Amino acid sequence: MSWFIEARPKGGTPVRLEIMPGKPVVIGRSDQADMKVAGDGFLSRRHVEVKLDGKRLAVRRLEGASNPVLFRGQESAEFAMGTNDWFAIGETRFVLLGGEGMVPIKTETDDAPAVQHTMSEADLYAMGGRADRMRLLDLVELPEMLRSMKREEFFVHLAGMIRLATDARWAAVANENGEVIARDCIEDAPAEWRMSRSVIKAALRDAPRPTLCVWGGTAGFEATVQEGTDWAICAAMKVPGGAPLVLYAAGEGGEEAARRHEENSRFIGLVADMVGRSLSVHRLESWQGRLEHYFSGPVISKILESSDPKGLEPRISPATIMFFDIRGFSKRTEGQNERILSYLGELRRIMTAMTEEIFNEGGNVLQYLGDGIMACWNVPIEVPNHVDGAVRAAMRMATRLGEMTDGWKCGIGLHTGDVVAGSLGSDLMFSYGVMGAVVNQSSRVEGITKHVETPILVTKEIAEKLSPAVALTRRIGRFQPAGMHVALDLYEPLPPDAEREPLAVYAKGLEIFERGDWEEAYKVLDQLGHEDRPARFIKALAESYRRHPPKGWQGIIELSEK
């Protein structure tokens, strides 16, 4: 009995090498390999060693091989396989052939079938005969089986169900390239598993409507590239955001199969439709469960309705970033875990209200930071006028916090610009997040609200994009945050109906202050009274600078603390 290992490159000519029992054979793409397979860049120079042991072929991935070896759809470093079984490296399959059951090398083309028929949609969903009605129970049980079983086990069950229902010699669940994921066969069925590409192509085109092909006369062996098979039924499942799968059953029976297999074709088509829909629902539920941790209901709906499955992959995108913090919360609970516990109910109530305001304006909460919130707008879904929405949310949050509590204050910093946004983390855990200078600067802006004692500060980029109907802005000053080398012009958003005269007074006083005339700046700003906290802050600086003028004054307020 002769034994061979056959390499079948995708779209290329098969190569065969005779192997001897007990003698190792190295497969690779270099002349150093015993079996050289050229043209597949996924193969290393020396990739695997194979050795025939009885009727089994032992396969071992060699150290230094750069790409995985796939056996029965799973990555495996060492395994054994039987006659007509196969493993894959890159785009090449390697099959063990031996003895009288050895199949000659064939091309990938199919001879024209005597009968080829794709079932119409009306026929697919029509009520069939008694056999169809008996199979309804099998169909009804499929969604729950898919939910409760491991995916691999479910596909094996599916292949077995199809084979038994159609009296096929073998049946399989495969990918769009005809690579088997799960299979089932009668004992004497060939294990070559080469499927008709024309049948699969037709099924993919017309999914989930099934395609039946019958090869007439003695053409079965040549047409189907394996002995004992002269008909095939195939139906495809298209899963949104995933690769399509096919259900494939094959057997023998000649042209009579065209008349016998109408109910079988309908059954396979209905199975494909049912499983495809169930896979779609499972994918939808999985995505929705993950997204609910990060986004509001309307944003989740937009993500799930999107045709782009890569909506959460990291990318550079314009966004508006918010940092929110409750002033004085740490002091209320400092050093006392019991006090922290006593405030948790109040904190949860506040955070729920703040989150509602963010969601109401199309924002997303990225992270809760103890008594703080990090939020964003315009990612992962574009939001028109996201700067306006973020500022509206900030002003409502500051007002609502005061209404809910006994005078609690907050600090909110806003900045807008390009960020890196997407699913960030590790292979084990991930979350949706944003990174970049805009994020860091918005965090520092929130910190500066402590110094100025105003609830909200925004950057120049926000002020320039903000609609007057949402808020007026007054420039508070130019600040250089601690640890940063960039100076930021910061603005305070005010109600659209705010009085204009105090704004003009502040602008004049700030201009004089930045010019370095501390005494005159103090006099001008003093007109605004003690309640104007930003004016009070600049007056205090003017008084200090009058006594100790800063060296090299450039109109920039340098902060030594975050």
Side-chain angles (χ1 to χ4, degrees):
M1 179 182 294
S2 299
W3 295 88
F4 296 84
I5 185 78
E6 181 175 290
R8 298 174 178 172
K10 184 179 180 180
T13 303
V15 178
R16 181 177 294 173
L17 177 71
E18 185 173 3
I19 54 177
M20 305 302 294
K23 182 179 179 180
V25 172
V26 173
I27 301 173
R29 60 180 174 85
S30 74
D31 295 332
Q32 301 172 0
D34 301 304
M35 183 178 189
K36 180 181 178 181
V37 180
D40 190 336
F42 291 97
L43 276 164
S44 299
R45 297 174 65 83
R46 292 166 54 87
H47 207 111
V48 293
E49 179 188 88
V50 301
K51 184 168 65 174
L52 187 64
D53 183 9
K55 295 183 179 182
R56 305 283 290 173
L57 185 71
V59 182
R60 179 173 63 87
R61 181 173 179 262
L62 295 175
E63 186 176 350
S66 56
N67 287 302
V69 179
L70 300 181
F71 177 58
R72 294 179 179 172
Q74 301 293 324
E75 184 176 336
S76 302
E78 194 167 352
F79 54 90
M81 65 185 199
T83 309
N84 292 323
D85 217 336
W86 57 273
F87 64 89
I89 303 171
E91 297 183 337
T92 304
R93 283 198 285 176
F94 297 87
V95 184
L96 176 65
L97 304 175
E100 295 80 5
M102 185 175 67
V103 181
I105 296 177
K106 297 294 174 184
T107 66
E108 295 290 343
T109 59
D110 300 321
D111 289 351
V115 177
Q116 178 166 336
H117 171 66
T118 297
M119 183 171 284
S120 69
E121 187 171 352
D123 288 340
L124 173 61
Y125 297 110
M127 177 59 71
R130 181 175 179 273
D132 270 357
R133 292 190 288 273
M134 292 289 287
R135 293 165 174 168
L136 280 177
L137 183 60
D138 289 332
L139 288 172
V140 170
E141 290 178 342
L142 284 177
E144 183 56 36
M145 294 182 70
L146 178 60
R147 185 181 298 277
S148 60
M149 297 173 70
K150 291 183 178 179
R151 191 61 51 86
E152 297 81 3
E153 295 174 351
F154 175 77
F155 286 149
V156 170
H157 169 81
L158 202 59
M161 185 181 73
I162 291 170
R163 187 188 68 77
L164 291 172
T166 60
D167 293 324
R169 294 198 70 197
W170 60 271
V173 180
N175 65 21
E176 58 188 320
N177 297 318
E179 296 170 345
V180 174
I181 297 172
R183 60 188 177 182
D184 188 85
C185 63
I186 59 176
E187 291 184 0
D188 62 342
E192 182 67 8
W193 307 108
R194 298 187 74 172
M195 303 179 190
S196 167
R197 292 192 180 277
S198 65
V199 177
I200 292 177
K201 184 177 180 180
L204 288 168
R205 181 192 64 223
D206 298 318
R209 294 187 289 130
T211 294
L212 166 68
C213 270
V214 181
W215 290 269
T218 60
F221 177 74
E222 295 296 327
T224 61
V225 204
Q226 76 182 33
E227 191 174 7
T229 299
D230 58 16
W231 65 263
I233 301 171
C234 185
M237 302 174 281
K238 291 187 176 180
V239 182
L245 299 174
V246 297
L247 304 178
Y248 196 102
E252 55 185 336
E255 296 184 24
E256 289 296 316
R259 291 183 288 274
R260 288 193 296 111
H261 286 304
E262 180 178 356
E263 290 185 354
N264 289 338
S265 295
R266 180 182 294 110
F267 178 68
I268 291 178
L270 289 174
V271 169
D273 190 21
M274 177 75 78
V275 174
R277 292 174 188 269
S278 297
L279 287 170
S280 298
V281 170
H282 285 201
R283 183 179 178 84
L284 188 68
E285 290 175 344
S286 175
W287 270 104
Q288 187 165 354
R290 293 181 180 185
L291 295 174
E292 284 175 350
H293 291 289
Y294 314 116
F295 308 116
S296 64
V299 174
I300 292 175
S301 298
K302 289 182 180 180
I303 293 174
L304 296 178
E305 292 167 3
S306 172
S307 60
D308 183 6
K310 300 181 179 180
L312 298 184
E313 290 188 359
R315 70 183 193 276
I316 297 175
S317 179
T320 297
I321 307 298
M322 170 193 285
F323 278 83
F324 163 89
D325 184 68
I326 299 174
R327 290 287 173 259
F329 185 81
S330 298
K331 288 185 178 180
R332 291 184 180 92
T333 58
E334 190 172 11
Q336 300 182 39
N337 290 335
E338 292 78 9
R339 287 184 63 80
I340 293 176
L341 286 173
S342 69
Y343 273 107
L344 284 184
E346 181 75 354
L347 182 61
R348 182 180 295 274
R349 190 172 69 92
I350 292 170
M351 289 301 190
T352 299
M354 300 300 102
T355 300
E356 287 176 354
E357 297 299 339
I358 292 170
F359 281 1
N360 288 342
E361 293 295 341
N364 304 302
V365 171
L366 298 179
Q367 195 174 358
Y368 291 104
L369 308 165
D371 59 340
I373 297 174
M374 178 184 177
C376 69
W377 277 258
N378 205 51
V379 288
I381 298 297
E382 292 185 5
V383 178
N385 305 317
H386 53 92
V387 167
D388 288 355
V391 173
R392 270 196 302 264
M395 297 178 74
R396 280 291 305 145
M397 291 163 73
T399 300
R400 192 168 176 184
L401 178 64
E403 294 171 348
M404 295 177 64
T405 62
D406 184 19
W408 288 23
K409 305 295 183 182
C410 69
I412 302 175
L414 290 169
H415 189 21
T416 190
D418 286 344
V419 301
V420 175
S423 177
L424 308 174
S426 68
D427 291 337
L428 301 178
M429 294 185 66
F430 75 93
S431 64
Y432 190 87
V434 292
M435 299 176 66
V438 170
V439 180
N440 297 334
Q441 291 170 12
S442 58
S443 175
R444 298 300 179 88
V445 172
E446 181 272 313
I448 295 173
T449 62
K450 300 176 186 177
H451 299 279
V452 182
E453 296 186 84
T454 189
I456 307 170
L457 287 176
V458 304
T459 60
K460 181 180 180 181
E461 289 77 6
I462 291 279
E464 289 177 343
K465 293 180 172 65
L466 184 61
S467 301
V470 174
L472 299 179
T473 59
R474 65 167 172 175
R475 191 170 72 89
I476 300 301
R478 179 168 296 175
F479 296 81
Q480 184 169 313
M484 292 184 62
H485 301 290
V486 177
L488 303 174
D489 280 305
L490 299 184
Y491 294 73
E492 180 187 22
L494 300 167
D497 58 354
E499 293 186 30
R500 300 304 198 269
E501 185 177 347
L503 300 183
V505 172
Y506 186 90
K508 180 180 178 181
L510 181 62
E511 178 188 359
I512 298 170
F513 171 80
E514 292 179 335
R515 196 168 63 227
D517 189 345
W518 322 117
E519 188 170 351
E520 182 63 23
Y522 188 99
K523 291 178 181 178
V524 173
L525 293 172
D526 197 40
Q527 300 175 47
L528 297 175
H530 192 72
E531 294 76 16
D532 192 318
R533 295 182 181 274
R536 190 171 67 183
F537 171 74
I538 299 296
K539 282 164 50 180
L541 287 178
E543 180 66 20
S544 174
Y545 292 169
R546 185 176 66 82
R547 296 192 301 268
H548 306 286
K551 294 181 180 180
W553 173 250
Q554 298 292 325
I556 299 173
I557 302 169
E558 297 183 11
L559 301 174
S560 58
E561 297 179 358
K562 294 183 180 179

